[in-house]
Amino acid sequence: MREFPEWFRIPLGSWVDSVADWLTTEGAAVFQAISDVLFVLLLRIERALLWLPWPVLILLVAILAWRIVGIRLAGGVVVGLLFIGALGLWPEAMATLALVVSATLLATALGLPVGILMSGSDTARTMIRPLLDLMQTMPSFVYLIPALMLFGLGRVPALMATLVYAIPPVIRLTNLGIRQVSTSVVEAARSFGSTTMQILFWVQIPLAMPTIMAGINQTIMMALAMVVIASMIGAGGLGDEVLRAIGRLEVGRGFTGGISIVIMAIIIDRITAGLGERSQHDST
Amino acid sequence: MAAPIRIEGLTKIFGPRQQEALRMLDGGATKEEVLKKPRATVGIYDVSFDVEEGEVFVVMGLSGSGKSTLVRCLNRLIQPTRGSILIRDENVVEMDEEALRELRLHRVSMVFQQFGLFPHLSVRENVSYGLKVRGVSRQERMEKADAMLESVGLGEWATSRVGELSGGMQQRVGLARALATDPDILLMDEPFSALDPLIRREMQDELTELHDELSKTIVFITHDLDEALQIGDRIAVMKDGIVHQIGTPEEILRTPSTDYVAEFVDGVNPWGVINAEHVMDEPDAILYLSEGPRTALRKMSVAQLSSILVVDRGRKLRGILTADAAAEALENGDTDIGPYVEDLEGVGADVTLEELVPMGALSQHPLPVVSEDNRLMGVVVRASILDGLTSQHGQSRRTEEPAANGIGAEAK
């Protein structure tokens, strides 16, 4: 008994294949529509980022960093972004940023309600949790295949793959944050005749904000990590640089692309983490 | 108007198979048996009582007695399993969402042990929360909140975060928040238990004052017997979800109806509970201001006193006349004893023994007890205090009470 017998097989792979096939043929119109909408969103954001003269953008980000975190980060932002520009990767960086921003917006827009739903119902939590585990542990490359099949090559499938990979933290931490709100506070709100919605928006979400912000921060970081992988199906941007460098074994090119991603990651992380801390000060 | 709260057969069972548990309980099963078999927890079982208009009704019990479950049924934060709660003749148990919301918005509000304040809001926003839910305009609710804060002495803290306040101040915010909606009934779930003893005492006094002022009907939950005795007009003692006794503090102390209650009140310090009215005696002799020194001396010698309390026609206390002063008046040929009467302050009927002792109640002179309009109701002498402190005497004093009251009644 060194091998499983031939008859003892579950054809899970071909089942998934047939579902995907069915989806591609029957759902073509739906996916085309989704694709069109997302493409427009992505394009608008990227155009806006590239339309802004780079000094203006750098200044804006620096001001943001200064207001939210402090003058030192603002200095770091200026140096870091100038460095990316000097490497000649400004358009690529903006393409990547557009993808990350779009993925984060979508992830938050979808993840918040799902997280809220999970926090309000144990049944929903029991059902959604394994799905999130699956999404987070599945090797990220695997997402590329259905995204490719359903949306073809390009930015939109890259966005979809990034979204799927990056959405779990915001869902998880929204759920956690709301559940962590002290029951005595919620009870008090209820005792004054608040409706479920009033409790949610006036009490639970404000108090869960630090945790939710931490979730969004993690989602952004995961989106940034995914863009490199998603470049294999046409995400473009900095990931493309790295991918090409791998193909041609160009160490220098790989390094400049990689370091640019690191710089962006640090800047985005510090700013969003600062936002999270601020909401924490507001609620304690 | 109908009674503020009327509870009948109220039962709450937690866990699965509640109907089965109910049947078992009705058949005489104990809380432990029900927990073992259908694994149901009895919160409260068959609780019935009425709360009178404007009274402070205390529900007292140790943890697990069901007192918190009971109070949460009153505004249906917990849905009872059986029974009815009539608030001004409307059954809370059967209210739909809309009616329940209206009840919580306008008529019943609650103060919590852990304060339950909103940490992300300012003190003022906390206090005005109920009004916000009600849909009152921002301007109006801020004004109301500020007035409320003023009345609990936190006017200057309106814009602070609640986290910056001490425990006692936080609970004052909790109280102000509950009062801001001007409810008919105030539910207080161990509001002072989380506070330091000194602050607790202060808050209890303040609550009593506030209650006199606003005359709300209050249901007050506590595990502290002293607290219950101090602030309760009536007390319900609970254990294992069942009400053991309902009565005034004196009734609970003097005639405990079950062993549990007796055991509970056994350790209580009667000094803080028994007051002057309970231990006072009829004075052996009193002198009217219109009477002369000769009468005074005769009354004193009959009663074997060295001094006598002097009252006017309305039986209002005027002071005390010593035998020496009376003799002096007689010597001087004065028939009016007025100038010879020494001033003497009476004590109020509700002054406790604890407070009486430092006032000289243990000295040789009797201490006059007066009503609010200074009428002489009786006297406290050393012997009656010592008597009042022995529990056996607690019973016998009770039978004497009508006589003591008789003085007061006569005076009126």
Side-chain angles (χ1 to χ4, degrees):
Chain A
M1 290 286 255
R2 284 170 197 277
E3 277 174 31
F4 270 83
E6 278 298 323
W7 55 265
F8 193 74
R9 291 280 192 276
I10 300 170
L12 182 62
S14 46
W15 290 348
V16 174
D17 279 347
S18 41
V19 169
D21 281 346
W22 181 83
L23 277 177
T24 21
T25 47
E26 302 298 318
V30 177
F31 289 111
Q32 191 57 50
I34 296 175
S35 175
D36 289 348
V37 172
L38 292 182
F39 189 70
V40 171
L41 171 81
L42 206 55
L43 213 64
R44 287 250 168 97
I45 293 178
E46 190 179 338
R47 285 234 180 100
L49 288 173
L50 283 173
W51 173 81
L52 280 174
W54 60 265
V56 175
L57 190 82
I58 293 180
L59 197 68
L60 284 179
V61 179
I63 289 172
L64 203 65
W66 175 47
R67 301 302 303 183
I68 293 171
V69 183
I71 195 75
R72 276 178 58 193
L73 182 67
V77 164
V78 174
V79 174
L81 292 183
L82 282 176
F83 184 68
I84 293 175
L87 291 175
L89 294 173
W90 188 256
E92 285 81 3
M94 288 308 106
T96 295
L97 187 62
L99 196 66
V100 170
V101 168
S102 317
T104 306
L105 286 179
L106 284 174
T108 309
L110 293 173
L112 276 181
V114 175
I116 290 167
L117 181 74
M118 272 177 84
S119 73
S121 144
D122 285 342
T123 320
R125 182 172 65 159
T126 320
M127 285 167 61
I128 295 170
R129 227 150 109 185
L131 202 67
L132 293 178
D133 293 336
L134 184 98
M135 286 161 80
Q136 277 186 304
T137 44
M138 182 75 77
S140 42
F141 291 96
V142 178
Y143 297 130
L144 301 181
I145 310 164
L148 199 58
M149 284 183 69
L150 298 175
F151 296 101
L153 263 178
R155 315 284 283 278
V156 173
L159 175 60
M160 290 309 289
T162 307
L163 174 66
V164 174
Y165 181 72
I167 201 171
V170 64
I171 297 179
R172 270 186 206 282
L173 287 164
T174 300
N175 167 51
L176 180 73
I178 293 178
R179 281 179 187 265
Q180 274 176 343
V181 173
S182 128
T183 49
S184 71
V185 173
V186 174
E187 191 178 43
R190 216 146 71 83
S191 80
F192 282 98
S194 319
T195 61
T196 311
M197 283 296 141
Q198 286 169 335
I199 294 177
L200 187 64
F201 286 105
W202 292 350
V203 179
Q204 289 173 310
I205 291 181
L207 287 173
M209 217 51 211
T211 313
I212 294 175
M213 284 307 300
I216 294 176
N217 173 279
Q218 279 190 36
T219 287
I220 297 175
M221 290 302 110
M222 289 182 70
L224 255 176
M226 188 65 190
V227 262
V228 178
I229 294 161
S231 64
M232 293 168 78
I233 54 169
L238 292 170
D240 241 22
E241 281 296 298
V242 179
L243 193 70
R244 259 181 233 144
I246 296 171
R248 299 180 198 170
L249 270 183
E250 290 176 289
V251 183
R253 192 172 192 178
F255 186 76
T256 50
I259 198 86
S260 302
I261 291 174
V262 170
I263 290 170
M264 283 179 60
I266 293 175
I267 291 173
I268 297 175
D269 177 63
R270 295 295 184 275
I271 292 178
T272 51
L275 271 179
E277 264 167 43
R278 261 164 61 126
S279 62
Q280 189 148 31
H281 284 304
D282 286 350
S283 61
T284 46
Chain B
M1 214 179 342
I5 305 174
R6 171 164 291 175
I7 295 174
E8 257 165 59
L10 197 66
T11 300
K12 173 66 194 181
I13 293 168
F14 297 97
R17 298 196 281 170
Q18 299 179 357
Q19 291 309 317
E20 187 185 332
L22 261 183
R23 273 196 302 278
M24 286 176 66
L25 288 166
D26 291 343
T30 65
K31 195 176 174 177
E32 285 71 31
E33 284 164 0
V34 172
L35 182 63
K36 206 179 272 177
K37 179 73 183 310
R39 306 188 70 78
T41 310
V42 181
I44 50 175
Y45 180 69
D46 202 25
V47 172
S48 302
F49 60 80
D50 289 3
V51 179
E52 307 290 335
E53 194 70 58
E55 96 176 315
V56 180
F57 189 90
V58 173
V59 179
M60 196 207 59
L62 300 179
S63 62
S65 62
K67 56 191 192 303
S68 287
T69 305
L70 173 63
V71 75
R72 278 169 175 71
C73 286
L74 297 183
N75 61 354
R76 241 177 70 191
L77 287 176
I78 291 177
Q79 175 73 45
T81 312
R82 189 174 68 186
S84 67
I85 303 162
L86 300 182
I87 292 189
R88 302 230 182 268
D89 280 348
E90 281 179 70
N91 194 344
V92 177
V93 180
E94 283 163 6
M95 280 181 178
D96 60 17
E97 275 303 310
E98 208 33 58
L100 190 61
R101 232 170 82 75
E102 133 75 38
L103 177 87
R104 292 173 180 168
L105 280 176
H106 293 274
R107 293 158 62 194
V108 177
S109 55
M110 192 159 176
V111 179
F112 296 86
Q113 181 178 8
Q114 300 302 333
F115 315 141
L117 298 178
F118 307 117
H120 59 300
L121 300 178
S122 71
V123 167
R124 181 193 278 140
E125 286 167 326
N126 262 279
V127 172
S128 63
Y129 183 84
L131 299 171
K132 181 178 174 184
V133 177
R134 208 188 267 179
V136 173
S137 75
R138 188 181 169 78
Q139 172 79 21
E140 196 186 329
R141 62 177 196 254
M142 290 304 148
E143 278 168 18
K144 192 119 182 228
D146 284 348
M148 234 37 252
L149 280 171
E150 215 51 68
S151 75
V152 296
L154 289 177
E156 298 157 35
W157 296 84
T159 54
S160 310
R161 295 266 163 189
V162 289
E164 296 164 26
L165 271 55
S166 70
M169 289 157 94
Q170 289 196 25
Q171 194 54 299
R172 264 173 233 214
V173 176
L175 191 59
R177 180 178 64 176
L179 290 172
T181 56
D182 194 25
D184 199 15
I185 295 166
L186 202 56
L187 307 177
M188 306 186 80
D189 180 26
E190 298 212 38
F192 308 143
S193 299
L195 304 176
D196 296 334
L198 272 177
I199 308 284
R200 192 183 311 156
R201 189 87 203 181
E202 199 181 309
M203 294 291 288
Q204 289 164 353
D205 291 344
E206 263 175 59
L207 180 69
T208 311
E209 262 172 52
L210 213 63
H211 178 250
D212 289 345
E213 222 171 280
L214 304 168
S215 68
K216 306 257 180 224
T217 304
I218 297 179
V219 177
F220 190 103
I221 308 295
T222 183
H223 64 258
D224 179 355
L225 181 61
D226 287 327
E227 184 170 71
L229 294 170
Q230 199 212 327
I231 63 170
D233 290 320
R234 284 192 304 148
I235 300 170
V237 183
M238 284 188 81
K239 188 196 181 227
D240 289 344
I242 293 167
V243 172
H244 275 237
Q245 184 175 6
I246 297 175
T248 64
E250 288 79 19
E251 281 165 4
I252 299 276
L253 276 182
R254 291 178 173 183
T255 50
S257 66
T258 67
D259 289 346
Y260 176 72
V261 181
E263 202 180 309
F264 211 101
V265 299
D266 197 33
V268 81
N269 159 25
W271 292 65
V273 180
I274 296 178
N275 61 33
E277 193 176 355
H278 295 133
V279 297
M280 70 187 179
D281 284 312
E282 199 171 350
D284 291 329
I286 52 169
L287 185 70
Y288 287 94
L289 198 56
S290 55
E291 292 174 308
R294 206 174 286 278
T295 320
L297 282 171
R298 199 187 62 240
K299 280 187 173 176
M300 277 186 254
S301 82
V302 167
Q304 296 190 318
L305 295 170
S306 58
S307 60
I308 191 166
L309 292 173
V310 181
V311 296
D312 62 14
R313 276 187 186 288
R315 221 186 149 94
K316 289 194 176 153
L317 181 68
R318 300 305 290 260
I320 190 166
L321 181 72
T322 62
D324 290 344
E328 195 189 332
L330 197 62
E331 231 166 80
N332 295 348
D334 280 342
T335 49
D336 178 17
I337 55 167
Y340 301 92
V341 174
E342 287 171 45
D343 281 346
L344 182 65
E345 289 262 321
V347 298
D350 58 352
V351 172
T352 61
L353 289 193
E354 205 164 20
E355 294 160 311
L356 273 174
V357 172
M359 291 169 148
L362 290 179
S363 72
Q364 292 307 317
H365 289 289
L367 206 58
V369 180
V370 293
S371 63
E372 270 170 37
D373 55 356
N374 206 32
R375 284 207 190 95
L376 182 65
M377 295 168 70
V379 292
V380 174
V381 296
R382 191 171 174 223
S384 54
I385 289 182
L386 297 177
D387 269 359
L389 287 178
T390 63
S391 55
Q392 280 304 314
H393 187 73
Q395 306 284 343
S396 66
R397 283 239 52 90
R398 203 174 153 68
T399 55
E400 285 169 28
E401 221 171 327
N405 281 342
I407 300 173
E410 201 180 275
K412 282 164 199 162

